[in-house]
Amino acid sequence: MKGNEAIGEAAVCAGCLNYFAYPITPQSEVAEYLSRRLPEVGGTFLQGESEVAVSYMLFGASAAGERVFTTSSSPGISLMAEGMSYLSGAQLPVVIVNIVRGGPGLGGILPAQSDYMQAVKGAGHGDYHVLVLAPAGVQEAVDLTIDAFTLAERYSNPVLILGDGMIGQMMEPVEFPDPETIPPPQPRPWATTGMKDRRQNLIRSLFLSPDSLEYNNMHLRAKYDAMERDEVRYESYHAERKMDVLIVAYGTMARICKTAVDVLREQGLKVGLVRPISLYPYPMQVVHEAAQKAKDVLVVELSTGQMVEDVHHAVAGSRPVHFFGKTGGNIPPPDRIADEVRKLLVKKPGKSRKTGRKS
Amino acid sequence: MKHYTPAMARSRVTVFTGNFGSGKTEVAVNFTLLLAAQETGVRIADLDIVNPYFRCREASGLMEKAGVEVIAPAGGWKHADLPIILPQIKGMVESKQNRTVLDVGGDPVGARILGSLAGSFVEDELDLIVVLNGNRPFTDTVDGACKMIEDIQEASRLSVTGLVGNTHLMESTTSDVIRKGEDLLLEVSGKLGLPVRFVTVGKGLLAGWSGSPPRAPVLALTRHMMPPWIESEKQGSEVFKNRDGSTAARR
């Protein structure tokens, strides 16, 4: 299946019957697919008048106790930034998928990883985080989308799947899990489903008294601490032993780097890869420990340098951190990455190396 | 095993349609290169107004090298997701010269573009093909595939004249996957009275084929529309070999 269709089917598989979205390349196939597929299972696809409208359609459906999700691409996610802040403040579980294209502004329609900061550091206002997962293939996009619904409910928090145009458009064989094995939606006693025999439920992000707002902030902080403790995901590839160069990359770029690692290792070079899967919470400890086994760290992204800041933070000056990035939808092939690694290896031992970025 | 040959392609104009993601572009590029190996003056037009990536314009360098004239939006428009219809295409269809291949966008939405050309096609010159991948959503049953074909006919205001089987599971394709796809294809073919032109089999799989061969002629397929890590893996290792003639480490 194409990545976009597979993400749509994954949501159906997870029992999500509510999908609201606005079309934008390169993710419009999710809407195309679900507009046909959801009616078959009694679900609803509704096109919002804009992504701002969509984010509050998510708010309403989630507050009413329903599993709900949306998909968009970079400019659309910018419009949802306000909604994400409100959803986080009101602690509503929703799943949002960003199939990233090049920016800023309208940018282009080709793959990019230039929304890392927006996703991980928060596009909207206030002290909040969304849990961010980055797939590196169609099967993983399916698995993470299904997990996202459970995670959103576990933390009562938005979960963002950060893909890119390549993940959305490429085709790979996929398997869907037996729906019986997927955890059913958790009860939502807080949902606004009609008062009946209980007290009024109120879902809000407005807390006028200083203590009640601080209480909400501290409660959210405790949830983020729990995510940082329990939800770190990563893949380590030949990064367990001593290395000359450790590559850190995620998503599509990690897939290309993996091929580069294979090519370099065949030639006897000691190169490994850490691929963060959860971008928030970021695998700080894992990257730090892997860096201790390497002489140099190389961060590769389809951006001019965003995740590299978290790698600097993780490595904390203990190793030189280098950067290689491409933009515009230009995707560097594995041999280009291999060349970047070789450049680090030809440096004479003993010669002092600069820490910092280059592009 | 019968192999598909350019001599079997009798129509001057071959149009590839099908549902979204059925592999039309891959089939159209392979078909065009097969023709170009035998004939001169082969032309292909990229009429894909549906897909934003993996369109045949991405293989234009390869095809031009083989002597194929590629008609596709140029410059910055090459990467646009706009419904660009080049005026030359109508001329190509009406010219009565040169072998011409049209790669049309997926689904009835993509086939609608043919409606604007419907008056230009000459009936006995045209082979309007639907490419069928039996592993794709919505065309994995006989009824689903028949509905897709009917919808394409309605949108294009043309009659489909042939079928191509392109059932696969990428790298996981086996001989059984191809046979199962062909069973579905033949059932659709029988139900609608449409002939099967050929079925595709990846070159790698063809070398290790097991069991009974496909009943239809086989077109040996080379994948051109590939994600960068697969495409370049091959390129990469070739490059290294050329540089130092060995796989030894270079420092």
Side-chain angles (χ1 to χ4, degrees):
Chain A
M1 284 178 99
K2 292 229 178 197
N4 283 333
E5 298 167 330
I7 286 167
E9 185 59 33
V12 172
C13 193
C16 175
L17 298 177
N18 306 280
Y19 171 66
F20 311 128
Y22 188 85
I24 180 170
T25 308
Q27 65 76 49
S28 300
E29 295 81 11
V30 187
E32 179 78 20
Y33 179 82
L34 286 177
S35 65
R36 285 195 235 178
R37 182 71 174 101
L38 276 174
E40 290 179 6
V41 291
T44 303
F45 159 56
L46 201 58
Q47 182 174 323
E49 54 265 60
S50 76
E51 289 86 345
V52 179
V54 165
S55 57
Y56 292 100
M57 289 158 86
L58 299 178
F59 194 110
S62 185
E66 293 284 315
R67 275 193 171 171
V68 60
F69 98 117
T70 190
T71 60
S72 190
S73 180
S74 312
I77 299 290
S78 291
L79 286 173
M80 290 183 196
E82 183 196 65
M84 271 194 252
S85 168
Y86 280 70
L87 286 160
S88 301
Q91 302 191 61
L92 289 171
V94 300
V95 174
I96 299 165
V97 179
N98 183 2
I99 299 297
V100 182
R101 58 188 259 175
L106 280 177
I109 62 166
L110 294 175
Q113 295 185 316
S114 43
D115 294 356
Y116 179 90
M117 291 292 191
Q118 184 198 46
V120 169
K121 308 298 176 191
H125 59 279
D127 257 342
Y128 81 95
H129 281 289
V130 298
L131 203 154
V132 184
L133 302 171
V138 178
Q139 183 66 54
E140 197 176 33
V142 166
D143 299 340
L144 293 181
T145 302
I146 291 170
D147 284 355
F149 286 96
T150 311
L151 289 169
E153 282 162 17
R154 182 178 304 155
Y155 292 98
S156 240
N157 202 71
V159 175
L160 182 87
I161 304 288
L162 193 72
D164 63 62
M166 188 58 69
I167 302 290
Q169 294 293 331
M170 68 185 276
M171 208 189 288
E172 287 188 309
V174 277
E175 278 179 41
F176 290 92
D178 179 354
E180 305 265 305
T181 62
I182 296 167
Q186 294 300 301
R188 298 183 182 189
W190 44 263
T192 51
T193 51
M195 275 175 61
K196 292 172 206 149
D197 302 323
R198 56 162 170 76
R199 282 179 54 202
Q200 183 190 28
N201 278 343
L202 183 61
I203 291 166
R204 57 178 174 153
S205 65
L206 178 67
F207 300 93
L208 286 173
S209 89
D211 287 349
S212 62
L213 178 56
E214 187 167 49
Y215 178 83
N216 197 46
N217 286 147
M218 297 323 287
H219 178 68
L220 295 180
R221 185 62 246 175
K223 289 201 305 191
Y224 306 143
D225 288 343
M227 287 182 200
E228 288 174 14
R229 191 185 61 230
D230 300 332
E231 305 301 341
V232 169
R233 298 185 188 200
Y234 65 94
E235 181 193 355
S236 177
Y237 190 66
H238 296 300
E240 296 78 23
R241 299 221 181 129
K242 279 203 160 178
M243 291 165 275
D244 290 321
V245 177
L246 167 72
I247 301 176
V248 186
Y250 71 97
T252 288
M253 206 53 246
R255 195 122 171 216
I256 299 168
C257 289
K258 220 174 181 178
T259 307
V261 167
D262 289 342
V263 168
L264 290 163
R265 291 188 71 87
E266 262 174 41
Q267 299 176 348
L269 304 180
K270 292 190 198 110
V271 183
L273 169 78
V274 168
R275 174 173 75 92
I277 297 170
S278 62
L279 300 182
Y280 179 81
Y282 195 77
M284 289 287 170
Q285 192 65 27
V286 172
V287 171
H288 181 83
E289 281 167 14
Q292 304 318 302
K293 295 174 200 145
K295 292 177 189 143
D296 284 88
V297 180
L298 174 67
V299 181
V300 187
E301 296 178 62
L302 295 175
S303 80
T304 56
Q306 299 200 7
M307 183 184 73
V308 66
E309 292 194 7
D310 278 338
V311 175
H312 272 294
H313 188 54
V315 174
S318 60
R319 293 290 183 279
V321 176
H322 310 268
F323 176 75
F324 177 69
K326 289 292 280 177
T327 64
N330 291 316
I331 302 178
D335 54 333
R336 183 78 182 80
I337 310 302
D339 283 346
E340 287 301 313
V341 170
R342 283 196 203 93
K343 272 189 213 166
L344 299 176
L345 293 174
V346 293
K347 283 181 185 162
K348 287 188 187 102
K351 190 184 164 190
S352 71
R353 292 172 191 171
K354 268 189 192 161
T355 304
R357 299 187 194 177
K358 63 188 166 99
S359 179
Chain B
M1 198 178 286
K2 269 180 297 186
H3 282 272
Y4 187 79
T5 61
M8 292 167 155
R10 298 222 179 89
S11 307
R12 186 180 71 82
V13 180
T14 308
V15 180
F16 289 100
T17 65
N19 74 314
F20 177 67
S22 56
K24 294 169 302 299
T25 296
E26 203 71 89
V27 170
V29 170
N30 274 273
F31 176 82
T32 304
L33 289 171
L34 189 74
L35 291 188
Q38 297 273 322
E39 304 173 17
T40 55
V42 179
R43 302 185 294 194
I44 183 167
D46 183 341
L47 268 170
D48 195 338
I49 57 164
V50 174
N51 255 330
Y53 305 175
F54 302 122
R55 296 174 289 194
C56 77
R57 64 194 73 166
E58 291 175 33
S60 57
L62 180 82
M63 290 195 284
E64 277 162 5
K65 225 188 250 172
V68 177
E69 189 187 348
V70 182
I71 290 95
W77 300 115
K78 184 179 173 185
H79 298 292
D81 53 344
L82 298 169
I84 297 170
I85 305 165
L86 295 171
Q88 300 95 296
I89 292 168
K90 197 164 184 197
M92 284 167 69
V93 171
E94 290 175 347
S95 73
K96 309 225 177 252
Q97 290 159 10
N98 297 62
R99 197 75 97 127
T100 300
V101 180
L102 302 188
D103 176 26
V104 178
D107 287 357
V109 176
R112 184 159 298 145
I113 197 168
L114 291 173
S116 67
L117 297 168
S120 303
F121 289 114
V122 178
E123 203 178 309
D124 57 2
E125 271 194 358
L126 171 68
D127 196 9
L128 179 59
I129 286 173
V130 167
V131 178
L132 186 67
N133 176 349
N135 283 330
R136 290 286 296 150
F138 309 116
T139 55
D140 50 359
T141 62
V142 173
D143 287 347
C146 288
K147 183 170 186 313
M148 176 62 69
I149 293 167
E150 281 156 21
D151 290 349
I152 284 174
Q153 296 193 127
E154 198 183 312
S156 66
R157 296 196 272 134
L158 291 165
S159 297
V160 172
T161 50
L163 300 175
V164 161
N166 188 45
T167 298
H168 64 86
L169 278 175
M170 298 289 200
E171 293 80 25
S172 319
T173 314
T174 61
S175 308
D176 280 337
V177 168
I178 305 271
R179 273 191 290 270
K180 209 170 144 229
E182 199 190 21
D183 288 344
L184 177 83
L185 182 76
L186 291 173
E187 222 177 306
V188 173
S189 162
K191 198 172 168 192
L192 299 179
L194 290 170
V196 173
R197 302 291 184 223
F198 56 84
V199 297
T200 66
V201 181
K203 277 200 177 135
L205 177 60
L206 212 50
W209 185 269
S210 63
S212 57
R215 285 152 279 178
V218 170
L219 185 139
L221 193 97
T222 305
R223 265 182 82 194
H224 299 294
M225 304 289 133
M226 288 202 283
W229 51 89
I230 300 174
E231 177 184 55
S232 309
E233 187 177 25
K234 232 187 268 161
Q235 279 179 359
S237 48
E238 269 170 29
V239 168
F240 300 138
K241 239 184 218 163
N242 291 346
R243 274 184 199 155
D244 63 5
S246 74
T247 53
R250 292 187 297 124
R251 287 227 175 204

